[in-house]
Amino acid sequence: MNIMQWAQLVMFVMLIVVTISLAQVYQRSIKRELYNTNRGFSKGEEFPLLSLPSMSGEMISLVRPSTEGTIVTFTSTNCAYCASLYPTLTPFQEKQPQLKVVSLMVGDMESITEKVNEFKIKTPISLIEEDDLSSFNVNVLPFAYFLNKEGIVVAKGSVNSEDDLKLLLQMSRSA
């Protein structure tokens, strides 16, 4: 290969790199929305239960005037999509100390304890029955509500990653 062929090859590679970079910047600039934001309680509605028992029997308060708000996630130990959310809960909570993250998890004590240990979940968890989901107006998992410090729903949608939790937080701030 002579110098002109090398130069053309380098320019071609640079063109590919620039194209990929521009595509990534464009994708990030598109406002992404959570799925299922039309489900669940209406924005502005008071969450029906503002305290509930944790797995250890202590009461978890969902109304915390000293915080920006509370993210309440609904998951099930039998839900494959929920498994992608579990490892993000504790790191997200640690990065967002102004928030409280609480999980309402469908399953028996043994399966929930297994998930807590497997994914090193340190956020509060309340065990609920599958029949309880309808009383929270939840019919898709994993799902989350963002409650303001008075317990009012300000954002909601399906979440299964840290990016989704960040988007829920962003949605709550623009509500």
Side-chain angles (χ1 to χ4, degrees), residues 34 68-73 84-103 119-124 144-147 159-173:
L34 292 178
E68 183 176 338
T70 303
I71 293 178
V72 182
T73 65
S84 64
L85 180 63
Y86 297 139
T88 68
L89 293 172
T90 300
F92 181 78
Q93 172 69 81
E94 290 170 350
K95 292 175 192 170
Q96 305 290 338
Q98 78 282 11
L99 300 176
K100 182 171 187 166
V101 178
V102 176
S103 296
F119 296 105
K120 298 174 179 53
I121 303 171
K122 296 178 184 171
T123 58
Y145 289 105
F146 187 99
L147 310 179
V159 294
N160 60 11
S161 69
E162 186 171 354
D163 286 341
D164 289 344
L165 291 171
K166 288 176 184 175
L167 186 54
L168 183 70
L169 176 59
Q170 181 183 16
M171 289 167 54
S172 75
R173 290 176 174 165

Side-chain angles (χ1 to χ4, degrees), residues 63-134:
V63 178
R64 306 241 354 223
S66 62
T67 65
E68 183 176 338
T70 303
I71 293 178
V72 182
T73 65
F74 291 84
T75 63
S76 172
T77 57
N78 296 324
C79 167
Y81 293 111
C82 299
S84 64
L85 180 63
Y86 297 139
T88 68
L89 293 172
T90 300
F92 181 78
Q93 172 69 81
E94 290 170 350
K95 292 175 192 170
Q96 305 290 338
Q98 78 282 11
L99 300 176
K100 182 171 187 166
V101 178
V102 176
S103 296
L104 279 65
M105 196 178 292
V106 175
D108 58 46
M109 187 66 85
E110 183 180 330
S111 62
I112 292 175
T113 302
E114 190 176 295
K115 296 293 182 196
V116 167
N117 293 334
E118 178 182 353
F119 296 105
K120 298 174 179 53
I121 303 171
K122 296 178 184 171
T123 58
I125 296 174
S126 183
L127 184 151
I128 61 171
E129 300 294 325
E130 192 164 345
D131 295 343
D132 296 332
L133 291 173
S134 62

Side-chain angles (χ1 to χ4, degrees), residues 144-156:
Y145 289 105
F146 187 99
L147 310 179
N148 68 12
K149 51 186 164 185
E150 289 85 31
I152 305 297
V153 174
V154 293
K156 60 188 177 161

